[in-house]
Amino acid sequence: MADVTARFLEYVKIDTKSDYDSTANPSTPVQFDLARKLVGALKALGLGDAAVDETGSVTANRPANIENK
């Protein structure tokens, strides 16, 4: 549980404040800092296709762990 807490505290330190006057998505470039960190964490967990797109959305696929019948 300590690892989860430490990871959470690391993530909340990242400045992800929105710019309400911006028309960009995400509204500030620093919001990508969290997205890139999440991608790194997902890849470290074995999700090799983890990625962040131009809108800051993070995606990853986890292969099934059971055989499809």
Side-chain angles (χ1 to χ4, degrees):
M1 188 64 149
D3 182 51
V4 172
T5 302
R7 191 177 301 210
F8 173 76
L9 292 174
E10 184 178 338
Y11 294 156
V12 299
K13 289 178 185 176
I14 299 171
D15 177 13
T16 58
K17 188 169 106 178
S18 298
D19 177 358
Y20 294 105
D21 296 323
S22 174
T23 58
N25 187 14
S27 63
T28 61
V30 296
Q31 291 173 330
F32 278 108
D33 294 346
L34 176 59
R36 285 189 290 270
K37 187 167 275 294
L38 292 172
V39 167
L42 289 167
K43 287 185 175 187
L45 291 171
L47 302 174
D49 69 341
V52 59
D53 70 12
E54 67 278 353
T55 67
S57 295
V58 175
T59 57
N61 291 292
R62 181 172 182 233
N65 59 1
I66 59 172
E67 195 173 314
N68 193 5
K69 294 182 181 184

